[in-house]
Amino acid sequence: MACLISITLLSFLLIFSLSSAKAYHHLYSLPNQKPIPKSASASPEIIRQACKATRFPDSCVATLIQSSNLTQNAKPIEIVQAAMSISAQNLKTGQSMVKNIRDTSSGNLNRSKAATTCLEILHNSEYRLSSAADVLPRGRIKDARAWMSAALCYQYDCWSALKYVNDSQTVNQTMAFFDSLIGLTSNALSMMISYDLFQDKLESWRPPMTERSGFWEDGVAGGSVSGFIGGLPAGSPANVTVCKDEGSGCYKTVQAAVDAAPDNRLDRKFVISIKAGVYEEIVRVPLEKKNLVFIGDGMGKTVITGSLSVGKSGVTTYNTPTVGVLGDGFMARDLTIQNTAGPDAAQAVALRLDSDLSIIENCELLGNQDTVYAHSLRQYYKGCHIEGNVDFIFGNSAAVFQDSVILIRPRQVEPEKGEKNAVTAHGRTDPAQSTGFVFQNCVINGTDKYMSLYYSNPKVHKNFLGRPWKEYSRTVFMHCNLEALISPPGWLPWDGDFALSTLYYGEFANSGAGANLTGRVNWSNQIPEKHVNAYSLQNFIQGDEWIPTSS
Protein backbone atom coordinates (compact mmCIF):
# COMPACT_ATOMS: atom_id res chain seq x y z
CA MET A 1 0.00 0.00 0.00
CA ALA A 2 1.59 3.28 -0.80
CA CYS A 3 4.64 5.25 0.13
CA LEU A 4 5.08 3.32 3.17
CA ILE A 5 7.53 0.60 3.43
CA SER A 6 6.63 -1.24 6.58
CA ILE A 7 9.84 -3.14 6.53
CA THR A 8 9.48 -6.07 8.90
CA LEU A 9 7.39 -9.19 8.61
CA LEU A 10 5.21 -8.22 11.54
CA SER A 11 4.58 -4.77 10.10
CA PHE A 12 3.39 -6.09 6.81
CA LEU A 13 1.23 -8.75 8.37
CA LEU A 14 -0.51 -5.87 10.14
CA ILE A 15 -0.57 -3.53 7.18
CA PHE A 16 -2.16 -6.04 4.86
CA SER A 17 -4.59 -7.49 7.38
CA LEU A 18 -8.16 -6.94 6.29
CA SER A 19 -9.17 -6.26 9.86
CA SER A 20 -6.62 -3.85 11.32
CA ALA A 21 -5.02 -0.49 10.61
CA LYS A 22 -3.74 2.34 12.73
CA ALA A 23 -3.12 5.97 11.96
CA TYR A 24 0.15 7.42 13.12
CA HIS A 25 0.54 10.47 15.29
CA HIS A 26 3.23 13.09 15.68
CA LEU A 27 4.86 14.59 18.71
CA TYR A 28 6.18 17.56 16.74
CA SER A 29 8.83 18.57 19.21
CA LEU A 30 12.45 17.84 18.60
CA PRO A 31 14.60 16.40 21.37
CA ASN A 32 16.64 19.00 23.26
CA GLN A 33 14.97 21.84 21.39
CA LYS A 34 16.45 25.20 22.31
CA PRO A 35 14.23 27.91 23.83
CA ILE A 36 13.00 30.56 21.45
CA PRO A 37 15.36 33.52 21.53
CA LYS A 38 14.06 36.95 22.48
CA SER A 39 15.24 38.44 19.20
CA ALA A 40 14.80 36.51 15.97
CA SER A 41 16.69 37.03 12.74
CA ALA A 42 13.42 37.01 10.79
CA SER A 43 10.21 38.80 11.67
CA PRO A 44 8.14 36.53 13.93
CA GLU A 45 4.99 37.89 12.29
CA ILE A 46 6.16 36.87 8.80
CA ILE A 47 7.04 33.43 10.10
CA ARG A 48 3.65 33.06 11.78
CA GLN A 49 1.89 34.06 8.57
CA ALA A 50 3.86 31.49 6.59
CA CYS A 51 3.25 28.80 9.19
CA LYS A 52 -0.50 29.28 8.76
CA ALA A 53 -0.03 27.10 5.70
CA THR A 54 0.97 24.06 7.76
CA ARG A 55 -0.88 21.39 9.69
CA PHE A 56 1.36 22.01 12.69
CA PRO A 57 1.93 25.77 12.98
CA ASP A 58 3.33 25.72 16.52
CA SER A 59 6.25 23.45 15.62
CA CYS A 60 6.68 25.40 12.39
CA VAL A 61 7.10 28.71 14.23
CA ALA A 62 9.28 27.20 16.96
CA THR A 63 11.83 25.86 14.50
CA LEU A 64 11.82 28.63 11.88
CA ILE A 65 12.19 31.42 14.41
CA GLN A 66 15.58 29.94 15.34
CA SER A 67 16.77 29.63 11.76
CA SER A 68 19.98 31.44 10.91
CA ASN A 69 19.05 31.26 7.21
CA LEU A 70 16.37 33.94 7.45
CA THR A 71 16.85 37.68 7.37
CA GLN A 72 14.55 40.23 9.02
CA ASN A 73 12.70 40.76 5.72
CA ALA A 74 12.76 37.20 4.49
CA LYS A 75 10.77 36.48 1.32
CA PRO A 76 8.18 33.71 1.35
CA ILE A 77 10.27 31.41 -0.83
CA GLU A 78 13.19 31.86 1.58
CA ILE A 79 10.95 30.72 4.44
CA VAL A 80 10.06 27.59 2.48
CA GLN A 81 13.74 26.98 1.79
CA ALA A 82 14.60 27.43 5.47
CA ALA A 83 11.95 24.87 6.43
CA MET A 84 13.40 22.42 3.90
CA SER A 85 16.88 23.03 5.30
CA ILE A 86 15.69 22.29 8.83
CA SER A 87 14.17 19.03 7.62
CA ALA A 88 17.38 18.07 5.83
CA GLN A 89 19.55 18.82 8.86
CA ASN A 90 17.39 16.72 11.15
CA LEU A 91 17.28 13.91 8.60
CA LYS A 92 21.04 13.58 8.91
CA THR A 93 20.67 13.19 12.66
CA GLY A 94 18.00 10.56 12.08
CA GLN A 95 20.27 8.64 9.74
CA SER A 96 22.98 8.53 12.40
CA MET A 97 20.50 7.24 14.96
CA VAL A 98 19.34 4.45 12.66
CA LYS A 99 22.93 3.54 11.82
CA ASN A 100 23.57 3.13 15.53
CA ILE A 101 20.58 0.77 15.77
CA ARG A 102 21.89 -1.29 12.87
CA ASP A 103 25.41 -1.47 14.27
CA THR A 104 24.21 -2.64 17.68
CA SER A 105 21.65 -5.20 16.45
CA SER A 106 23.77 -8.04 15.14
CA GLY A 107 21.95 -10.47 17.44
CA ASN A 108 18.47 -9.33 16.45
CA LEU A 109 17.65 -10.26 12.84
CA ASN A 110 14.36 -8.36 12.55
CA ARG A 111 15.77 -5.15 14.03
CA SER A 112 18.95 -5.39 11.98
CA LYS A 113 17.04 -5.87 8.72
CA ALA A 114 14.63 -3.06 9.56
CA ALA A 115 17.50 -0.66 10.24
CA THR A 116 19.38 -1.71 7.10
CA THR A 117 16.37 -1.09 4.86
CA CYS A 118 15.68 2.11 6.79
CA LEU A 119 19.09 3.44 5.84
CA GLU A 120 18.46 2.68 2.18
CA ILE A 121 15.18 4.52 2.07
CA LEU A 122 16.51 7.41 4.15
CA HIS A 123 19.24 7.82 1.55
CA ASN A 124 16.43 8.13 -1.00
CA SER A 125 14.74 10.72 1.22
CA GLU A 126 17.97 12.72 1.47
CA TYR A 127 18.37 12.61 -2.31
CA ARG A 128 14.83 13.81 -2.95
CA LEU A 129 15.07 16.59 -0.36
CA SER A 130 18.30 17.83 -1.87
CA SER A 131 16.87 17.70 -5.39
CA ALA A 132 13.77 19.62 -4.34
CA ALA A 133 15.87 22.31 -2.67
CA ASP A 134 17.90 22.64 -5.87
CA VAL A 135 14.98 23.16 -8.27
CA LEU A 136 12.59 25.22 -6.14
CA PRO A 137 14.35 28.59 -6.69
CA ARG A 138 14.49 27.78 -10.42
CA GLY A 139 10.72 27.65 -10.68
CA ARG A 140 10.30 23.87 -10.99
CA ILE A 141 7.81 23.73 -8.16
CA LYS A 142 5.83 20.70 -9.40
CA ASP A 143 9.04 18.68 -9.41
CA ALA A 144 9.90 20.01 -5.96
CA ARG A 145 6.48 19.01 -4.62
CA ALA A 146 6.73 15.51 -6.10
CA TRP A 147 10.19 14.98 -4.62
CA MET A 148 9.28 16.39 -1.20
CA SER A 149 6.23 14.12 -1.18
CA ALA A 150 8.56 11.17 -1.73
CA ALA A 151 11.00 12.40 0.92
CA LEU A 152 8.15 12.50 3.43
CA CYS A 153 7.00 9.07 2.31
CA TYR A 154 10.41 7.52 2.95
CA GLN A 155 10.70 9.09 6.39
CA TYR A 156 7.35 7.62 7.33
CA ASP A 157 8.51 4.24 6.02
CA CYS A 158 11.45 4.28 8.41
CA TRP A 159 9.24 5.31 11.33
CA SER A 160 6.82 2.52 10.47
CA ALA A 161 9.59 -0.07 10.24
CA LEU A 162 10.98 0.89 13.64
CA LYS A 163 7.52 0.69 15.16
CA TYR A 164 7.47 -3.05 14.70
CA VAL A 165 10.91 -3.69 16.16
CA ASN A 166 10.51 -1.28 19.06
CA ASP A 167 12.04 -3.46 21.76
CA SER A 168 14.55 -1.04 23.29
CA GLN A 169 14.86 2.49 24.61
CA THR A 170 17.17 3.36 21.71
CA VAL A 171 14.57 2.39 19.12
CA ASN A 172 11.85 4.19 21.05
CA GLN A 173 13.89 7.40 21.18
CA THR A 174 14.68 7.13 17.48
CA MET A 175 10.98 6.71 16.69
CA ALA A 176 10.18 9.83 18.71
CA PHE A 177 12.79 11.75 16.73
CA PHE A 178 11.36 10.56 13.41
CA ASP A 179 7.89 11.43 14.62
CA SER A 180 9.07 15.02 14.88
CA LEU A 181 11.07 14.90 11.65
CA ILE A 182 7.97 13.82 9.74
CA GLY A 183 6.20 16.87 11.10
CA LEU A 184 9.00 19.19 9.97
CA THR A 185 8.97 17.74 6.46
CA SER A 186 5.18 17.97 6.34
CA ASN A 187 5.40 21.64 7.28
CA ALA A 188 7.90 22.39 4.51
CA LEU A 189 5.77 20.59 1.94
CA SER A 190 2.59 22.36 3.05
CA MET A 191 4.21 25.78 2.72
CA MET A 192 5.51 24.78 -0.68
CA ILE A 193 1.92 24.17 -1.82
CA SER A 194 0.77 27.58 -0.65
CA TYR A 195 3.73 29.16 -2.38
CA ASP A 196 2.77 27.31 -5.57
CA LEU A 197 -0.84 28.50 -5.32
CA PHE A 198 -0.44 32.03 -3.95
CA GLN A 199 3.23 32.96 -4.44
CA ASP A 200 4.21 35.92 -2.18
CA LYS A 201 0.66 36.65 -0.96
CA LEU A 202 1.21 35.37 2.56
CA GLU A 203 -2.22 36.52 3.65
CA SER A 204 -3.69 33.84 1.35
CA TRP A 205 -1.54 30.95 2.56
CA ARG A 206 -3.54 28.16 4.16
CA PRO A 207 -3.16 24.55 5.32
CA PRO A 208 -3.27 21.91 2.56
CA MET A 209 -6.77 21.12 1.29
CA THR A 210 -8.05 18.04 -0.50
CA GLU A 211 -11.05 17.16 -2.61
CA ARG A 212 -12.93 16.26 0.55
CA SER A 213 -12.74 19.93 1.53
CA GLY A 214 -13.71 21.09 -1.96
CA PHE A 215 -10.31 21.73 -3.52
CA TRP A 216 -9.07 20.46 -6.90
CA GLU A 217 -5.92 21.46 -8.77
CA ASP A 218 -7.17 21.55 -12.34
CA GLY A 219 -5.48 24.54 -13.86
CA VAL A 220 -4.13 23.02 -17.10
CA ALA A 221 -6.64 22.47 -19.91
CA GLY A 222 -6.87 19.16 -21.72
CA GLY A 223 -7.62 15.63 -20.63
CA SER A 224 -4.70 13.61 -22.01
CA VAL A 225 -1.36 13.77 -23.78
CA SER A 226 -2.38 13.87 -27.42
CA GLY A 227 -0.38 11.90 -29.90
CA PHE A 228 1.14 9.51 -27.38
CA ILE A 229 3.32 6.97 -29.21
CA GLY A 230 4.97 5.16 -26.34
CA GLY A 231 7.89 5.37 -24.01
CA LEU A 232 10.56 5.21 -26.71
CA PRO A 233 10.61 6.35 -30.34
CA ALA A 234 10.18 3.46 -32.76
CA GLY A 235 13.42 1.97 -34.05
CA SER A 236 15.62 3.09 -31.18
CA PRO A 237 18.70 0.85 -31.24
CA ALA A 238 19.57 -1.31 -28.26
CA ASN A 239 22.71 -0.47 -26.33
CA VAL A 240 22.97 -4.01 -24.99
CA THR A 241 21.06 -7.26 -25.46
CA VAL A 242 20.01 -9.98 -23.04
CA CYS A 243 19.29 -13.42 -24.50
CA LYS A 244 19.23 -17.13 -23.73
CA ASP A 245 21.32 -18.15 -26.75
CA GLU A 246 24.62 -19.82 -25.98
CA GLY A 247 27.69 -18.22 -27.49
CA SER A 248 25.85 -15.19 -28.90
CA GLY A 249 27.87 -12.61 -26.97
CA CYS A 250 24.83 -11.10 -25.26
CA TYR A 251 24.27 -10.79 -21.52
CA LYS A 252 22.71 -13.88 -19.97
CA THR A 253 20.86 -12.08 -17.16
CA VAL A 254 18.91 -8.86 -16.99
CA GLN A 255 20.81 -7.84 -13.85
CA ALA A 256 24.15 -8.14 -15.66
CA ALA A 257 22.89 -5.75 -18.34
CA VAL A 258 21.66 -3.30 -15.68
CA ASP A 259 25.04 -3.43 -13.95
CA ALA A 260 26.74 -2.65 -17.26
CA ALA A 261 24.70 0.51 -17.83
CA PRO A 262 26.45 3.83 -17.15
CA ASP A 263 25.64 5.66 -13.93
CA ASN A 264 23.63 8.90 -13.92
CA ARG A 265 23.02 8.97 -17.66
CA LEU A 266 20.93 12.10 -18.13
CA ASP A 267 21.19 13.02 -21.80
CA ARG A 268 19.60 9.95 -23.40
CA LYS A 269 18.12 6.53 -22.74
CA PHE A 270 20.14 3.36 -22.27
CA VAL A 271 18.17 0.62 -24.03
CA ILE A 272 18.35 -3.00 -22.90
CA SER A 273 16.78 -5.39 -25.39
CA ILE A 274 15.57 -8.54 -23.60
CA LYS A 275 14.95 -11.33 -26.09
CA ALA A 276 12.24 -13.94 -25.73
CA GLY A 277 12.79 -16.37 -22.89
CA VAL A 278 12.12 -16.93 -19.21
CA TYR A 279 14.60 -15.13 -16.94
CA GLU A 280 14.42 -16.49 -13.41
CA GLU A 281 16.10 -13.76 -11.39
CA ILE A 282 15.64 -10.87 -9.00
CA VAL A 283 16.43 -7.58 -10.71
CA ARG A 284 17.37 -4.34 -8.94
CA VAL A 285 17.84 -0.98 -10.70
CA PRO A 286 19.69 1.29 -8.22
CA LEU A 287 19.22 5.03 -7.84
CA GLU A 288 22.25 5.90 -9.97
CA LYS A 289 21.03 3.87 -12.98
CA LYS A 290 18.90 6.53 -14.62
CA ASN A 291 17.04 6.42 -17.93
CA LEU A 292 17.15 2.67 -18.37
CA VAL A 293 14.76 1.05 -20.83
CA PHE A 294 13.73 -2.62 -20.85
CA ILE A 295 12.29 -3.73 -24.19
CA GLY A 296 11.07 -7.30 -24.58
CA ASP A 297 9.72 -9.34 -27.47
CA GLY A 298 6.17 -9.21 -26.16
CA MET A 299 3.96 -10.09 -23.21
CA GLY A 300 4.34 -13.78 -22.39
CA LYS A 301 7.42 -14.04 -24.60
CA THR A 302 9.96 -12.12 -22.54
CA VAL A 303 9.30 -13.10 -18.92
CA ILE A 304 11.19 -11.97 -15.81
CA THR A 305 10.07 -14.18 -12.94
CA GLY A 306 10.66 -14.59 -9.22
CA SER A 307 8.89 -16.11 -6.25
CA LEU A 308 9.98 -14.19 -3.14
CA SER A 309 7.28 -13.63 -0.54
CA VAL A 310 7.00 -12.35 3.02
CA GLY A 311 7.98 -14.94 5.59
CA LYS A 312 10.63 -16.74 3.58
CA SER A 313 13.95 -16.35 5.39
CA GLY A 314 12.84 -13.07 6.90
CA VAL A 315 12.07 -11.45 3.55
CA THR A 316 9.93 -8.31 3.83
CA THR A 317 7.41 -6.88 1.36
CA TYR A 318 9.83 -4.18 0.28
CA ASN A 319 12.36 -6.83 -0.70
CA THR A 320 10.01 -9.33 -2.39
CA PRO A 321 9.77 -7.69 -5.86
CA THR A 322 10.94 -9.62 -8.86
CA VAL A 323 11.93 -6.24 -10.34
CA GLY A 324 12.62 -3.24 -8.09
CA VAL A 325 13.48 0.13 -9.63
CA LEU A 326 14.89 3.29 -8.01
CA GLY A 327 16.58 5.07 -10.94
CA ASP A 328 14.55 7.88 -12.52
CA GLY A 329 13.28 7.79 -16.09
CA PHE A 330 12.81 4.01 -16.17
CA MET A 331 10.79 2.54 -19.02
CA ALA A 332 9.60 -0.99 -19.76
CA ARG A 333 7.73 -2.27 -22.79
CA ASP A 334 6.53 -5.54 -24.28
CA LEU A 335 7.36 -7.98 -21.51
CA THR A 336 6.01 -9.85 -18.49
CA ILE A 337 7.11 -9.37 -14.89
CA GLN A 338 5.68 -11.87 -12.44
CA ASN A 339 5.86 -13.21 -8.92
CA THR A 340 4.87 -16.86 -8.77
CA ALA A 341 4.72 -17.22 -4.97
CA GLY A 342 1.12 -18.38 -5.36
CA PRO A 343 -2.31 -17.51 -3.95
CA ASP A 344 -1.58 -19.19 -0.63
CA ALA A 345 1.56 -17.11 -0.02
CA ALA A 346 1.75 -13.81 1.84
CA GLN A 347 2.74 -10.51 0.25
CA ALA A 348 4.69 -11.11 -2.97
CA VAL A 349 5.45 -8.15 -5.27
CA ALA A 350 6.13 -8.46 -9.00
CA LEU A 351 7.17 -4.83 -9.65
CA ARG A 352 8.20 -2.17 -7.14
CA LEU A 353 8.60 1.24 -8.73
CA ASP A 354 10.31 4.27 -7.11
CA SER A 355 11.38 5.84 -10.40
CA ASP A 356 10.22 9.37 -11.07
CA LEU A 357 8.90 9.97 -14.60
CA SER A 358 8.64 6.23 -15.30
CA ILE A 359 6.61 4.57 -18.06
CA ILE A 360 5.35 0.99 -18.09
CA GLU A 361 3.81 0.28 -21.49
CA ASN A 362 2.26 -2.85 -22.93
CA CYS A 363 3.51 -4.95 -20.04
CA GLU A 364 2.02 -7.87 -18.16
CA LEU A 365 2.34 -7.66 -14.36
CA LEU A 366 1.28 -10.87 -12.64
CA GLY A 367 0.97 -11.86 -9.01
CA ASN A 368 -1.51 -12.37 -6.21
CA GLN A 369 -1.29 -10.24 -3.08
CA ASP A 370 0.55 -6.95 -3.76
CA THR A 371 1.42 -7.44 -7.44
CA VAL A 372 2.32 -3.81 -8.23
CA TYR A 373 4.02 -1.70 -5.55
CA ALA A 374 3.63 1.76 -7.08
CA HIS A 375 5.63 3.05 -4.19
CA SER A 376 6.48 6.70 -4.84
CA LEU A 377 6.90 9.55 -7.32
CA ARG A 378 5.28 9.96 -10.78
CA GLN A 379 4.42 6.86 -12.82
CA TYR A 380 2.50 6.13 -16.03
CA TYR A 381 1.08 2.74 -17.03
CA LYS A 382 -0.26 2.41 -20.58
CA GLY A 383 -1.95 -0.61 -22.16
CA CYS A 384 -0.90 -3.00 -19.40
CA HIS A 385 -2.37 -6.29 -18.18
CA ILE A 386 -2.33 -6.56 -14.37
CA GLU A 387 -3.50 -9.53 -12.29
CA GLY A 388 -3.73 -10.07 -8.52
CA ASN A 389 -6.12 -10.21 -5.60
CA VAL A 390 -5.50 -8.51 -2.21
CA ASP A 391 -4.56 -4.83 -2.60
CA PHE A 392 -2.66 -5.76 -5.72
CA ILE A 393 -2.03 -2.19 -6.83
CA PHE A 394 -0.70 -0.32 -3.79
CA GLY A 395 1.75 2.38 -2.76
CA ASN A 396 2.00 6.14 -2.31
CA SER A 397 2.92 7.24 -5.81
CA ALA A 398 1.16 9.62 -8.17
CA ALA A 399 0.30 7.02 -10.83
CA VAL A 400 -1.93 7.10 -13.88
CA PHE A 401 -3.17 3.82 -15.40
CA GLN A 402 -4.61 4.17 -18.90
CA ASP A 403 -6.18 1.68 -21.32
CA SER A 404 -5.24 -1.25 -19.11
CA VAL A 405 -6.92 -4.56 -18.24
CA ILE A 406 -6.96 -5.24 -14.51
CA LEU A 407 -8.08 -8.71 -13.44
CA ILE A 408 -8.77 -10.29 -10.05
CA ARG A 409 -7.42 -13.79 -9.41
CA PRO A 410 -8.62 -16.40 -6.88
CA ARG A 411 -6.59 -16.18 -3.70
CA GLN A 412 -7.72 -18.78 -1.19
CA VAL A 413 -6.89 -22.46 -1.01
CA GLU A 414 -10.64 -23.06 -0.81
CA PRO A 415 -11.96 -20.06 -2.76
CA GLU A 416 -15.47 -21.50 -2.95
CA LYS A 417 -15.89 -20.39 0.69
CA GLY A 418 -15.76 -16.78 -0.44
CA GLU A 419 -13.31 -13.92 -0.12
CA LYS A 420 -12.92 -10.16 -0.13
CA ASN A 421 -10.53 -8.53 -2.57
CA ALA A 422 -9.58 -4.88 -3.08
CA VAL A 423 -7.97 -3.79 -6.34
CA THR A 424 -6.13 -0.83 -4.80
CA ALA A 425 -4.75 0.33 -1.46
CA HIS A 426 -3.31 3.80 -1.74
CA GLY A 427 -1.17 4.98 1.16
CA ARG A 428 -1.01 8.78 1.26
CA THR A 429 -0.24 9.81 4.85
CA ASP A 430 -0.38 13.59 4.46
CA PRO A 431 -2.83 15.83 2.58
CA ALA A 432 0.09 17.84 1.20
CA GLN A 433 1.48 14.87 -0.74
CA SER A 434 0.74 15.14 -4.47
CA THR A 435 0.00 11.44 -4.76
CA GLY A 436 -2.90 9.18 -5.73
CA PHE A 437 -4.01 6.55 -8.23
CA VAL A 438 -5.91 7.53 -11.39
CA PHE A 439 -7.50 4.90 -13.64
CA GLN A 440 -8.70 6.03 -17.07
CA ASN A 441 -10.32 3.87 -19.76
CA CYS A 442 -9.45 0.66 -17.92
CA VAL A 443 -11.34 -2.64 -17.62
CA ILE A 444 -11.81 -4.09 -14.12
CA ASN A 445 -12.81 -7.75 -14.24
CA GLY A 446 -11.72 -11.21 -13.10
CA THR A 447 -9.65 -13.92 -14.73
CA ASP A 448 -11.62 -16.76 -16.35
CA LYS A 449 -10.80 -18.97 -13.37
CA TYR A 450 -11.97 -16.37 -10.88
CA MET A 451 -15.16 -15.60 -12.78
CA SER A 452 -16.15 -19.26 -12.84
CA LEU A 453 -15.89 -19.25 -9.04
CA TYR A 454 -17.66 -15.92 -8.77
CA TYR A 455 -20.66 -16.95 -10.84
CA SER A 456 -20.97 -20.22 -8.91
CA ASN A 457 -21.85 -18.20 -5.78
CA PRO A 458 -21.61 -14.43 -6.22
CA LYS A 459 -22.96 -13.75 -2.72
CA VAL A 460 -19.75 -14.96 -1.04
CA HIS A 461 -17.25 -13.34 -3.45
CA LYS A 462 -16.86 -9.64 -2.73
CA ASN A 463 -14.62 -7.33 -4.75
CA PHE A 464 -13.95 -3.63 -4.28
CA LEU A 465 -12.20 -0.83 -6.14
CA GLY A 466 -10.03 0.00 -3.16
CA ARG A 467 -9.61 0.46 0.57
CA PRO A 468 -7.70 3.09 2.56
CA TRP A 469 -4.29 1.85 3.60
CA LYS A 470 -3.50 5.25 5.09
CA GLU A 471 -5.39 8.30 6.25
CA TYR A 472 -5.40 10.38 3.06
CA SER A 473 -5.73 7.56 0.54
CA ARG A 474 -6.73 8.88 -2.92
CA THR A 475 -7.99 6.82 -5.88
CA VAL A 476 -10.26 7.66 -8.82
CA PHE A 477 -11.77 5.67 -11.69
CA MET A 478 -12.88 7.54 -14.81
CA HIS A 479 -14.40 6.20 -18.04
CA CYS A 480 -13.60 2.66 -16.89
CA ASN A 481 -15.58 -0.52 -17.52
CA LEU A 482 -16.39 -1.96 -14.09
CA GLU A 483 -17.72 -5.47 -14.52
CA ALA A 484 -20.32 -7.29 -12.40
CA LEU A 485 -17.84 -8.68 -9.86
CA ILE A 486 -17.48 -5.21 -8.27
CA SER A 487 -19.76 -5.25 -5.24
CA PRO A 488 -22.44 -2.53 -5.00
CA PRO A 489 -20.70 -0.62 -2.14
CA GLY A 490 -17.74 -0.16 -4.47
CA TRP A 491 -15.20 0.55 -1.74
CA LEU A 492 -14.11 -1.35 1.36
CA PRO A 493 -13.24 0.10 4.80
CA TRP A 494 -9.85 -0.79 6.25
CA ASP A 495 -10.71 -0.90 9.93
CA GLY A 496 -13.90 0.62 11.26
CA ASP A 497 -14.14 4.29 10.34
CA PHE A 498 -10.38 4.76 9.88
CA ALA A 499 -9.69 7.35 7.13
CA LEU A 500 -13.30 7.47 5.95
CA SER A 501 -13.57 11.22 6.58
CA THR A 502 -10.19 12.11 5.05
CA LEU A 503 -9.73 9.82 2.03
CA TYR A 504 -10.92 10.70 -1.48
CA TYR A 505 -12.40 7.93 -3.62
CA GLY A 506 -13.96 9.26 -6.81
CA GLU A 507 -15.73 7.90 -9.86
CA PHE A 508 -16.76 9.53 -13.13
CA ALA A 509 -18.61 8.24 -16.19
CA ASN A 510 -17.81 4.58 -15.66
CA SER A 511 -19.77 1.81 -17.38
CA GLY A 512 -20.65 -1.83 -16.75
CA ALA A 513 -22.72 -3.62 -14.13
CA GLY A 514 -20.19 -2.76 -11.41
CA ALA A 515 -20.56 0.97 -12.10
CA ASN A 516 -24.10 1.11 -10.73
CA LEU A 517 -24.03 3.80 -8.04
CA THR A 518 -27.17 2.80 -6.19
CA GLY A 519 -25.41 0.94 -3.38
CA ARG A 520 -22.22 2.97 -3.12
CA VAL A 521 -20.77 3.79 0.30
CA ASN A 522 -21.52 7.33 1.41
CA TRP A 523 -17.83 8.12 1.90
CA SER A 524 -17.05 7.82 -1.81
CA ASN A 525 -17.80 10.56 -4.34
CA GLN A 526 -18.80 11.28 -7.87
CA ILE A 527 -16.20 13.63 -9.35
CA PRO A 528 -17.80 16.92 -10.45
CA GLU A 529 -17.50 17.18 -14.21
CA LYS A 530 -15.89 20.61 -13.95
CA HIS A 531 -13.04 19.07 -11.93
CA VAL A 532 -12.36 15.93 -13.98
CA ASN A 533 -9.42 17.69 -15.58
CA ALA A 534 -7.60 17.66 -12.22
CA TYR A 535 -6.73 14.03 -12.98
CA SER A 536 -5.41 14.54 -16.51
CA LEU A 537 -1.85 13.54 -17.30
CA GLN A 538 -0.87 17.19 -17.47
CA ASN A 539 -2.28 18.18 -14.10
CA PHE A 540 -1.73 15.06 -12.07
CA ILE A 541 1.77 13.98 -13.13
CA GLN A 542 2.86 16.78 -15.52
CA GLY A 543 2.87 14.17 -18.29
CA ASP A 544 2.93 16.73 -21.09
CA GLU A 545 6.48 17.59 -20.01
CA TRP A 546 7.98 14.08 -20.16
CA ILE A 547 5.74 11.54 -21.90
CA PRO A 548 6.79 11.34 -25.57
CA THR A 549 4.24 12.41 -28.18
CA SER A 550 4.08 12.10 -31.94
CA SER A 551 4.32 15.84 -32.50
Side-chain angles (χ1 to χ4, degrees), residues 140-341:
R140 291 172 54 187
I141 194 161
K142 300 300 184 186
D143 287 341
R145 286 176 58 180
W147 297 339
M148 280 293 288
S149 293
L152 177 58
C153 169
Y154 299 140
Q155 291 169 20
Y156 175 88
D157 287 348
C158 187
W159 178 91
S160 183
L162 295 175
K163 176 181 178 180
Y164 294 99
V165 294
N166 186 11
D167 57 0
S168 70
Q169 184 178 5
T170 300
V171 176
N172 189 59
Q173 290 174 342
T174 304
M175 280 186 62
F177 184 87
F178 271 91
D179 210 29
S180 299
L181 172 61
I182 290 168
L184 295 177
T185 307
S186 170
N187 286 344
L189 179 58
S190 294
M191 285 191 286
M192 190 183 293
I193 292 175
S194 274
Y195 180 74
D196 188 12
L197 295 174
F198 307 112
Q199 296 295 302
D200 290 344
K201 298 177 181 178
L202 278 177
E203 66 276 7
S204 298
W205 285 27
R206 65 190 187 201
M209 298 176 64
T210 71
E211 296 93 335
R212 287 300 287 271
S213 50
F215 177 71
W216 282 264
E217 288 194 70
D218 49 8
V220 181
S224 182
V225 173
S226 60
F228 174 84
I229 59 170
L232 196 70
S236 296
N239 295 96
V240 298
T241 300
V242 181
C243 70
K244 303 297 266 186
D245 299 336
E246 294 294 334
S248 64
C250 61
Y251 289 98
K252 302 307 176 188
T253 68
V254 178
Q255 188 64 58
V258 170
D259 295 342
D263 291 349
N264 299 307
R265 184 175 174 125
L266 302 178
D267 56 337
R268 59 192 184 280
K269 299 296 182 183
F270 186 87
V271 180
I272 299 174
S273 173
I274 309 172
K275 297 301 182 183
V278 177
Y279 299 86
E280 296 184 18
E281 57 177 305
I282 302 301
V283 179
R284 296 291 180 261
V285 178
L287 193 61
E288 64 271 15
K289 301 293 183 180
K290 296 178 172 61
N291 285 312
L292 290 196
V293 182
F294 289 1
I295 296 184
D297 282 341
M299 293 187 197
K301 295 180 179 179
T302 296
V303 180
I304 307 173
T305 184
S307 60
L308 292 178
S309 65
V310 165
K312 292 183 177 180
S313 302
V315 175
T316 61
T317 302
Y318 180 76
N319 291 311
T320 63
T322 301
V323 176
V325 183
L326 293 174
D328 287 347
F330 177 79
M331 297 180 179
R333 191 179 75 196
D334 301 332
L335 51 79
T336 293
I337 300 172
Q338 65 182 17
N339 190 311
T340 61

Side-chain angles (χ1 to χ4, degrees), residues 260-466:
D263 291 349
N264 299 307
R265 184 175 174 125
L266 302 178
D267 56 337
R268 59 192 184 280
K269 299 296 182 183
F270 186 87
V271 180
I272 299 174
S273 173
I274 309 172
K275 297 301 182 183
V278 177
Y279 299 86
E280 296 184 18
E281 57 177 305
I282 302 301
V283 179
R284 296 291 180 261
V285 178
L287 193 61
E288 64 271 15
K289 301 293 183 180
K290 296 178 172 61
N291 285 312
L292 290 196
V293 182
F294 289 1
I295 296 184
D297 282 341
M299 293 187 197
K301 295 180 179 179
T302 296
V303 180
I304 307 173
T305 184
S307 60
L308 292 178
S309 65
V310 165
K312 292 183 177 180
S313 302
V315 175
T316 61
T317 302
Y318 180 76
N319 291 311
T320 63
T322 301
V323 176
V325 183
L326 293 174
D328 287 347
F330 177 79
M331 297 180 179
R333 191 179 75 196
D334 301 332
L335 51 79
T336 293
I337 300 172
Q338 65 182 17
N339 190 311
T340 61
D344 57 340
Q347 300 81 10
V349 177
L351 173 67
R352 189 194 75 232
L353 202 54
D354 286 274
S355 169
D356 195 26
L357 314 183
S358 52
I359 297 175
I360 309 298
E361 180 193 1
N362 195 35
C363 286
E364 191 174 47
L365 306 172
L366 306 177
N368 288 283
Q369 184 171 348
D370 297 358
T371 303
V372 177
Y373 196 174
H375 185 209
S376 63
L377 299 157
R378 292 167 289 187
Q379 310 178 7
Y380 180 50
Y381 298 78
K382 172 78 169 180
C384 291
H385 180 107
I386 304 172
E387 294 184 13
N389 39 57
V390 181
D391 308 327
F392 62 99
I393 300 174
F394 74 106
N396 193 12
S397 64
V400 176
F401 299 79
Q402 281 188 345
D403 307 320
S404 296
V405 176
I406 298 165
L407 304 180
I408 293 173
R409 287 178 163 186
R411 70 177 173 92
Q412 295 182 353
V413 176
E414 297 178 315
E416 64 276 1
K417 292 184 178 180
E419 58 190 37
K420 288 183 179 180
N421 295 310
V423 174
T424 68
H426 192 258
R428 184 167 62 156
T429 62
D430 193 291
Q433 289 176 311
S434 55
T435 59
F437 292 157
V438 175
F439 294 85
Q440 299 175 346
N441 304 313
C442 293
V443 174
I444 313 298
N445 204 357
T447 63
D448 290 343
K449 184 176 181 181
Y450 181 81
M451 294 311 295
S452 67
L453 292 167
Y454 173 81
Y455 284 120
S456 68
N457 191 357
K459 291 184 178 180
V460 301
H461 296 284
K462 306 296 183 182
N463 301 284
F464 304 88
L465 299 174

